[in-house]
Amino acid sequence: MTGRDLFPTSLRLLGKPVLVVGGGRVAGRRARALLDAGALVTVVAPEAADDVAQLAEAGLVTWVRRGYETGDLDGVWFAQTATGVADVDSRVAADAEERRIWCVNASDHEASAAWTPASARVDDVTVAVNDGGDPRRAKALKDAIVLALKTGRLPLRRHRAGTGRVALVGGGPGESGLITVRGRQLLAEADVVVADRLGPRGLLDELPAAEAGGPRIIEVGKAPGAHTATQDEINRILVDEARAGHVVVRLKGGDPYVLGRGGEEAEFCREHGVDVEVVPGVTSAISVPAAAGIPVTHRGLATGFSVVTGHEELDELPARPDHTIVLLMGVRRLAHSVQHLRAHGLPAGTPVAIVESGWTERQRVTIGTLGTIVDQAERVGVANPAVIVVGDVVRVSPYAPSSFRASLATAAPQADPTL
């Protein structure tokens, strides 16, 4: 057999008696797989390795401690040989053929009436690969398919109605490669994607068009002074689409629980009886500064940080250059925030960085101090989306002026020779 004369199918063995002849490692693996399928497993072997013995001790399989006899096939729906002795396996296979029982002959795949594929499960998807009797090649192909399914590289969307649900997916700062594996997998399953303006837009371009079997895209992005949908409207869309039986992915920028109103959306879904899953994302509060080479903490410069929006009062934050302040959505109120920070005690020479459109081709970094940054921002026309970083950690950035980095070298702690 080359595999071309096979008729691929899947057996439903729940509650059906099956026979495994042999007690070695292969028999143990096959017995476990058959148990996973819900079969009633009998193992016939005079001796057994630990795998089979443990299954028998646990009462999961019936172990008949003797050699194979023809009557062992009575009432059996499916048989697997695994003795490692070709004559015995061939006898079992011949007896099964005579009784019209499907049998996998582990000793001779060419003469086997059935083949066991390399298989795996991803959620409710079963992957099974046969490849002309080459089990290593089949396993490699199976592993590649499983990886593609787990990382959302293959379409997982269902085309039969099921139970609707919502997934709040953090898409990261905008770069398609920074979404989590789980987030990408859910996008591949989605019937509907409710998309933010600041999410990873490149991922939407990779999805099939709705008319080609892909998900519907509902745009609800918000920009200053221009809201496509109010938060109440977004909440209602999520619930209505899920109640219609759809898998709904709410694709958000950053992390849905970091100033993303994900908590409100999850609460609304649960209050209306809709199952909701939250998938964390790489928050822009940390990742966008990183795109400019700025760590929010750095030994000798900062051991803590605070994340706030530019709409909040800043008076209660530590007024020290060694405590990093990360401002989200703060461009419009930059001058107001700078005034508050200076009045609160931060020196005019405190370093400040504004990172626009982090992790995209449009990324731009503007670096100054609390005394200069407002004029600099006006001069270059800084605009959202942007993250503002205030504190000595800005000195670490490769975009920082050489004078900043020189002061960093002077202030850097000496290496501990004991480390």
Side-chain angles (χ1 to χ4, degrees):
M1 282 194 300
T2 64
R4 294 180 181 176
D5 52 356
L6 292 178
F7 179 72
T9 189
S10 298
L11 294 179
R12 179 165 288 166
L13 294 174
L14 179 64
K16 301 293 193 298
V18 302
L19 177 68
V20 176
V21 182
R25 294 176 59 187
V26 172
R29 290 200 304 271
R30 294 293 182 260
R32 287 186 181 278
L34 290 164
L35 287 171
D36 288 343
L40 305 177
V41 181
T42 297
V43 176
V44 174
E47 296 179 355
D50 288 345
D51 285 351
V52 171
Q54 289 170 2
L55 292 174
E57 288 174 7
L60 298 175
V61 305
T62 300
W63 177 18
V64 179
R65 306 187 187 201
R66 56 165 172 76
Y68 165 75
E69 297 177 0
T70 301
D72 293 331
L73 287 167
D74 291 347
V76 166
W77 285 63
F78 177 80
Q80 166 80 55
T81 74
T83 67
V85 180
D87 288 346
V88 175
D89 287 352
S90 294
R91 180 185 163 204
V92 176
D95 289 344
E97 182 76 12
E98 185 177 343
R99 288 163 173 75
R100 298 184 179 181
I101 297 170
W102 291 111
C103 177
V104 176
N105 184 346
S107 295
D108 187 357
H109 74 276
E110 291 291 344
S112 184
W115 288 357
T116 301
S119 62
R121 289 185 65 85
V122 179
D123 294 334
D124 60 351
V125 175
T126 299
V127 176
V129 179
N130 275 312
D131 196 316
D134 186 342
R136 291 187 179 179
R137 187 182 186 203
K139 181 180 183 302
L141 287 169
K142 177 264 295 182
D143 290 344
I145 294 169
V146 167
L147 180 61
L149 286 170
K150 287 184 175 180
T151 55
R153 298 291 180 178
L154 291 177
L156 281 166
R157 184 186 171 202
R158 294 170 176 83
H159 294 275
R160 293 184 178 179
T163 303
R165 56 193 172 95
V166 170
L168 307 180
V169 175
E175 161 58 41
S176 297
L178 294 179
I179 191 172
T180 64
V181 170
R182 179 59 178 160
R184 188 154 192 149
Q185 184 183 31
L186 285 164
L187 271 180
E189 295 182 35
D191 299 308
V192 177
V193 178
V194 182
D196 264 356
R197 181 176 62 93
L198 299 181
R201 308 293 301 184
L203 286 177
L204 299 181
D205 295 335
E206 295 177 14
L207 297 174
E211 56 270 22
R216 282 187 294 117
I217 309 297
I218 300 177
E219 297 284 359
V220 295
K222 298 177 183 178
H227 289 192
T228 302
T230 67
Q231 189 59 52
D232 288 343
E233 290 170 338
I234 293 171
N235 293 346
R236 179 54 60 188
I237 288 170
L238 298 178
V239 168
D240 288 349
E241 292 290 347
R243 283 179 170 174
H246 299 145
V247 176
V248 184
V249 169
R250 172 74 167 105
L251 185 61
K252 306 169 77 69
D255 184 287
Y257 275 12
V258 179
L259 301 173
R261 308 192 79 165
E264 298 174 38
E265 293 171 357
E267 185 178 21
F268 189 85
C269 288
R270 294 187 184 111
E271 287 175 351
H272 290 79
V274 172
D275 183 40
V276 62
E277 175 182 355
V278 179
V279 180
V282 180
T283 174
S284 59
I286 297 173
S287 61
V288 170
I294 302 171
V296 294
T297 64
H298 189 81
R299 188 164 65 95
L301 290 180
T303 58
F305 66 98
S306 299
V307 180
V308 295
T309 70
H311 307 287
E312 295 185 16
E313 294 299 326
L314 302 170
D315 296 344
E316 297 184 4
L317 297 180
R320 307 189 311 270
D322 64 351
H323 182 89
T324 306
I325 297 173
V326 180
L327 287 168
L328 304 182
M329 302 174 285
V331 169
R332 185 171 62 86
R333 291 172 61 89
L334 176 62
H336 175 80
S337 298
V338 166
Q339 180 182 359
H340 265 269
L341 291 171
R342 291 191 62 181
H344 193 43
L346 273 174
T350 302
V352 181
I354 304 176
V355 186
E356 300 169 77
S357 301
W359 294 103
T360 73
E361 294 179 353
R362 302 182 305 280
Q363 177 174 308
R364 181 171 63 171
V365 182
T366 304
I367 291 181
T369 67
L370 282 179
T372 66
I373 196 64
V374 173
D375 289 340
Q376 288 176 266
E378 285 188 14
R379 187 164 60 250
V380 301
V382 166
N384 280 314
V387 173
I388 302 168
V389 186
V390 181
D392 278 339
V393 291
V394 172
R395 302 180 189 277
V396 177
S397 173
Y399 297 94
S402 57
S403 59
F404 276 32
R405 294 196 295 274
S407 61
L408 169 63
T410 303
Q414 298 296 315
D416 187 343
T418 65
L419 296 178

